Each structure stands twice: as C-alpha cells, then as structure tokens.
Amino acid sequence: MRTARKTLSLLTGLALGASCAGSALADGQLDKVMKDRGLTEKDVLAAAKTYTPTGGRDEYIVFSSGGQSGQIIVYGIPSMRILKYVAVFTPEPWQGYGFDDESKAVLDQGKVRGKDILYGDTHHPAISETDGEYDGQFLFINDKANPRVAVIDLHDFETKQIVVNPVYKSQHGGAFVTPNTEYVITAAQYAAPFENGFVPLEEFNDKYRGGVTYWKFNREKGRIEPENSFTVEAPPYSQDLSDAGKGPSDGWSFTNSFCSERYVGGIERGRPPFEAGCSAKDTDFLHVINWRKAEELFKAGKTVKINGGNVLPLDVAAKEGVLFLIPEVKSPHGVDVSPDGKYMIVSGKLDTHATVYSFEKIQAAIKAGKFEGKDPYGVPIINFQDSIHKQVELGLGPLHTQYDSKECIVYTSLYVDSMVAKWNYCEGKVLDKISIHYNIGHLMAMEGDSRSPDGKYLVSLNKLAIDRFNPVGPLHPQNHQLIDISGDKMELLYDMPLPLGEPHYAVAIKADKLKPEVRYKSGWNSREDKVSEFKTRAGREKTERNCDASGNCTTEVWGTVIRSHITPEIIEAQVGDTVKIHLTNLERAEDEVHGFAMYGQNVQLSIEPGKTSSTTFVADQEGVFPYYCTEFCSALHLEMQGYLLVQPKGYQAKAGGMQEGVAYTQADYDKQVKTNVDTQAVIDQVVAYITSHNYQDFPTVVGLVEDATDQLGFAKGAKEKAEAAAAKQDWQNAMLWANQWWQYQVKTADLGLRAKTFLEQNGAKKIK
Ligand code: RUQ
Ligand code: CUA
C-alpha cells in the first residue's frame, strides 16, 4: 500500500501536476490495479515510459532484420508497437509482393544462377547516410544465405531492387554504408570458389576465397549500380561483420573474421568437426581495407571480371596497400567504429575481452612499413600491440558494441553471460551491467551507427525467449528488450516478442527524419518509381482480346478501383487465354487501399491510392472465377466484386437479357430520389463548412476534397442516367441508377465528414 501511495504521488507529481490529481488516482484505482496485477512501482514507471496513448507517436522508428523470414520488421520506440513488415526477399501477399507483376520483377532480380529464391536470411539493415548522419531516404539489408542486397526506398517503404553478388556463395557482413552512402559494404562469409564450377575441398587454400564487396549506390536513381561496384578478394578466412570508417578513418573499412585457421571439417570423413578446427588458434584477423585506394585501382582497370563482376585480385590488394591484417582475439564477432572514427572495438566470442583498436596507431604502422610479417597470401600483418588503444575485460561471450551519446561510453552484449556491459572505452573501465533474458546477440542504441548517436534507449536483440511469454509451442518468438540508458544505471523497460524469423540486427532513426508519402502520383508503378504504362483514368477502362497469327490469345484489362466498385465487373476470356489485368486505384484519400483477390489463380494485389498494379496468368481452365476487394474499404466493401468468365473456345452469348432478382416500380424510384435529395442537403452543409475554412492549408484535406469532388461528379453522371431511364418509364434502370447516384453521394459525404473532422481537430481557421 505504501509503495502504491508513493507511486501515486510520484505519478501525479511527474506527469499530471498536483492540481489535477485525477479521479482515477484519487479513487485509489491505480493502487488497486497495481495490487491486482502484482505490479511494483518500478513496473509502473516503466509502463509510463513506454505506454503510448491512442493517436500517440513514437520518437524513434526501428528497422529490424526479419532473419530467415526475408522481411524487415518496423516498430516504434518507446512503445515497441509493430508498424509494418516490409517484404524484401520473400513473397508477402498483403503487400501483393511477389503476386503483382511489378514486384515479381523485383524478386526476379534476386534469382541465383537462374533459380527463384523465395526467402532470404536477412541480417544487417543499414540506413543511408549523409555526412555520417542517418538521412532517412533508403534502407539496405543483406541476405546471408544467398549473397544478395536489397534496396528499400523509405519514401514508400517498398523494396525496389535486389542485387546478387556475382562471386560469393554466402555473405554475412553487410549491409554497412560509407558516410555518404557512396558504397554499401558486404563481406563474404563461408569461403568458396569465386567461379561457379566444382572445386574439390582439397584445393581449399588455393582456390577458395573470401572478400569484401563495395556496391556503388546511385542516390539520384535510388539504385545500386553493379557495373560500378567491385569486390576486394580476400583470403579464405570466413570474413564476418564489417563497418565503414568515418571522419579520420573515412575511406577505410574494417571486417573481422573467424576460422582464419582455414580449417575444413568433415565428420563423415573422420575429421574433427568445423567447430574444433575453426577455434583452435588464439587469434583471427581484423581486415583493414583502404577502399578509396581499391576504388582508384578499379577505375584504373586493375580489376578482373569474374561471373560479370569486378574483382580486385588478392595479390594486387596485398601489394598496392589496399588490404592489411591485424590479429584479433579468438573467434571475434562484430567490429564497431566509434562515432568520431578514431577507434574500432572488436570482441572475441571465446575471450572475455573487448579490444579497442586505434586508427591512428594502425596508420602509423602502415606509414612506417612496420609489419610483423605476411600471411600465406602475402598480405602484410600489423602487430597487435602496435595497433591497440586498450583491452578491457568485460565478461563471457562479448559480441557487439554500440556507442552512447556520452563521450567514451559504450554498451557491449555478453552472449554467454546474458548481460549488457556498459563501459568507458577511453579509460577501459566497466561502469554497469544488466541481466537480460536470454542470450543477447546484437544490441542497438538510437542512431547508434551514425556520427552522433542519441543514446537514450538500447534494444537487446535476444536469441532466445524461453519462458518470457505465454507458450505457443516448441517454436518460440524472439525477444527484443527495451532498456533505458539515459541514467547511470541501465533500466529494463519492456519485452517485445517478435514472431518472425530470427532478427539479427536493427537500426533506429529519429521518427521525424522519415517523410513517407501517403499516396502515389496517379497511375504509379511503385517498383520502378514512374508512371505506369498501364495507368488508367476514370471512364477510360477497357478490355481487349487479341490473338496472334498462331492463335495465342490475350485478354487484357485496363481497369480502375474506387469505393466501392472494380471496373470492369465482368471480364470475359476464353480458355487458354493469357489474362492480363491492370488496376489503378483512383483514390487520393489517405489509407484508401483496395485489394484484388481472385479464386483459383494465385492473384492478390494491394493497390494503394494512386498505384497501378498488374497481374498476368493463363486461364487454362473454363469456369467462373469471382474476384473481390480484400480491404474493408467502405460500407459496401463486400459488394466490391466481379466475375472472370472463362468461356469455352468460340463461345457465343445466348439471346435474351439478364435474369433480374427484383422488379422495381415507380414508387421505389421516387423513394430513392427523396433519399438522394436529403443526402445532398447533408453534403451541401459539409461542403459549406470545408470551403469556409482554410482547408487548402491541409494537404490531407485537399486529397480528401479531390476524391469527394470525383465521387460527386460520378453521382451527377448516375443521376442523369436515372432521370433518362425515368423519362422512358424504365423504372428498373431508373431505380438502379438512382441507387448508384446515392452510393456516390454516400462516399462523397463520408469523405467530406473525414475532411471536416480533420479540420476541426487540427485547428482550421474560418476564412469567410
Ligand atoms: S549477427 S549475434 Cu550480426 Cu548476423 Cu551477430
Ligand atoms: Cu475496396 Cu474493399
């Protein structure tokens, strides 16, 4: 009770101010909830730090790898609410990804040696940088299993490009960007021959290779340029994570490695397994690469072509001062460059220390030509002691390090200890430790990879959840734990289960740096970011059927979707036709997405406002194939439907009209017209409100008003048709068109009311 009372005063003092000791608190409701749910004061404080009331926004947006789901998970901090899964390497029906023709073309770029690869093992996302700061424009992520990188444009959170590494057979250490996103860096992992043919394992040392690839990024085009990208060939040392230099170390990059023993297992051949041979030596090698020098050599034609890619041969890299090695402690994992670019921190999984390397000392050794020798490939090795600033004992299984906003302060994950260590890398002092649950891999601070990290929060990306959540079978979710790092002591705030693959790494950006669009320009091909050749305007919808000389026929539809109908509502094709359907969403209102699903054809599109999406399939069976909208977009969403009729070859329609379900009379028509007149009065009132306010100053409202004006225009057309039918005493058509006129009015009113509410809530001013 005493605790609860203290909390009450704490919360009133903290958040509410003494004057409004609100009723819930005064009534002791908070005390009761705390008691019933067994919450401590610390719990309530953590809740207050993370709870985000309805309509509230997060301060940071996180892009988390989705692991082997091949997607990216987007969530907010501090609320830890999941906002989106971005489809990247894996088909994802909600977004139509891998179902519409436009995104199929993106997935097709990711074919490996001609084969469709319909998943990815995503590891490390990276946000594009300008001058070492996250700029919120693009996101990159690697696929470890199939050595690929994807480009996601953050103006619409869609995957635009997938590039396949021409020479690797796996690729873990990526994606990492240089300070101005000149290059996206990825490193190979399991050494393999660069060529695609068979090379026996007996030739491992001679023919198997690793490497570090520099993918050239063209920011204007928003695409990677494979022809301007190059790979620095490296020894078969199982390169691991990388990081780009910045500030004084700009132009250099750093990649660690494991299994520099070059050990090849083979239990079935009677050889000790990989794990024994790959951790036998006490040290592995930190690879230090002068990428600017490599770029010069590439431009000077010193690279060779392998599988169409540009490769700087290992002997050239060694001789020309591109590649250097420095011993690093046993099985390291993670190399993290300090915000000022002066230090690199590396930890060894099988050692209790973290090593702080000094870029200045490394450069001094290189300049002096002071090496302790060369590796078997002729790569100069810099002496360990000559290059380090400090070595600090942290705990068991140190992995990754993140930098705080406070100078010299870092956080390192301790995998075996299941802890985070906070320490000072300038002085080499451990400051604090916190237990996490369980087996932390990466950790991530806000804007942690930038030149100016924000600190504030840390997310611990745990490999295991074990008993943290309600059980859901043998396959558990992963656990992201939010830690408050604003004070001297780290405080655990929140556990978030992530039920989608094994997220390896994540990056967090200030939410206000992201400026995503709410709609596309009309008729937009979002995957190519240009007006679609299939853009269709209202009233221009059409279906064509054409056959070529050899009798192959195509039924092609240029259609539209808008609340609450798909045009066309009937598509006629003949068996064997290739059917192509292009649909443009005519809406401009925020969030008025329509879907398009069809029976038995593996068709599911997501058509956001302004977007044009296409689907192509062969109608190889006769039959009736209903289609409909898959988003509950309006009161008449269920009526947003139609039929694909796949007719026998040479089918002729029977004489006689459609069978009507109901016969309408003049009384029905008159009643409907009266309703319409009343509805128009409501619309007029709303219009008067909007136009008497400065609605032009609110882009959201302008979009709504444009849509409403469209709908009202359609209403006018339907009204004319109704009146023409009525003049001919065709009450059937008069009534149906009068009803359609009303449907358009209802949509107009709905949009108008949304606009009015928005204006009221956002302080619009009266102008006349
Ligand atoms: S991984 S737990 Cu970055 Cu792929 Cu370290
Ligand atoms: Cu459109 Cu439901």
Side-chain angles (χ1 to χ4, degrees), residues 215-258:
W215 290 103
K216 181 76 193 156
F217 185 62
N218 181 325
R219 195 188 284 266
E220 281 69 55
K221 294 203 181 111
R223 298 293 183 274
I224 283 171
E225 298 176 335
E227 66 283 9
N228 294 323
S229 308
F230 59 91
T231 293
V232 175
E233 181 182 355
Y237 292 158
S238 298
Q239 284 74 28
D240 199 30
L241 287 163
S242 308
D243 204 357
K246 46 189 131 180
S249 55
D250 188 11
W252 293 73
S253 72
F254 311 92
T255 300
N256 57 22
S257 62
F258 63 91

Side-chain angles (χ1 to χ4, degrees), residues 155-168:
H155 95 276
D156 61 357
F157 286 50
E158 278 201 348
T159 303
K160 306 292 176 175
Q161 184 187 26
I162 296 175
V163 291
V164 184
N165 195 292
V167 291
Y168 299 162

Side-chain angles (χ1 to χ4, degrees), residues 65 121-124 142 144 171-174 176 189 240-241 333-334 349 399-400 413 415 439-443 461 463 502-505:
S65 126
D121 183 19
T122 61
H123 275 245
H124 308 100
N142 72 311
K144 168 171 166 170
Q171 167 199 264
H172 179 244
F176 299 93
Q189 182 128 80
D240 199 30
L241 287 163
H333 188 52
K349 295 191 292 284
L399 292 183
H400 300 287
S413 52
Y415 176 79
N439 285 17
I440 177 173
H442 276 274
L443 71 184
L461 287 77
K463 301 297 183 192
E502 189 208 315
H504 290 264
Y505 188 45

Side-chain angles (χ1 to χ4, degrees), residues 466-615:
I466 309 181
D467 59 359
R468 291 295 94 183
F469 307 110
N470 295 54
V472 287
L475 182 62
H476 295 239
Q478 303 265 324
N479 185 8
H480 282 198
Q481 291 191 300
L482 182 68
I483 299 165
D484 181 350
I485 54 167
S486 57
D488 288 339
K489 305 267 321 149
M490 294 177 273
E491 301 281 357
L492 183 62
L493 295 180
Y494 197 86
D495 282 20
M496 177 177 62
L498 271 182
L500 195 79
E502 189 208 315
H504 290 264
Y505 188 45
V507 281
I509 182 171
K510 273 195 197 76
D512 60 14
K513 285 190 185 174
L514 296 169
K515 306 263 185 281
E517 307 278 350
V518 298
R519 68 183 70 78
Y520 290 108
K521 291 185 200 113
S522 119
W524 203 247
N525 175 337
S526 67
R527 301 291 168 178
E528 290 184 11
D529 271 319
K530 60 177 197 198
V531 174
S532 167
E533 56 183 310
F534 307 115
K535 167 182 172 171
T536 305
R537 296 217 300 266
R540 302 284 173 84
E541 299 88 351
K542 62 176 180 183
T543 301
E544 282 179 4
R545 184 163 187 274
N546 293 302
C547 301
D548 65 15
S550 43
N552 297 320
C553 303
T554 303
T555 294
E556 188 157 9
V557 177
W558 289 261
T560 60
V561 289
I562 192 163
R563 271 157 293 168
S564 305
H565 53 262
I566 301 163
T567 308
E569 297 192 330
I570 299 162
I571 303 170
E572 293 175 271
Q574 295 193 2
V575 68
D577 283 9
T578 296
V579 177
K580 291 174 179 280
I581 303 172
H582 316 289
L583 294 171
T584 298
N585 183 340
L586 300 174
E587 315 267 0
R588 267 154 290 189
E590 191 166 344
D591 206 15
E592 270 311 331
V593 56
H594 299 286
F596 182 79
M598 183 184 281
Y599 160 67
Q601 306 287 8
N602 203 31
V603 169
Q604 154 52 27
L605 310 178
S606 170
I607 322 165
E608 295 96 66
K611 198 184 218 179
T612 297
S613 285
S614 303
T615 175

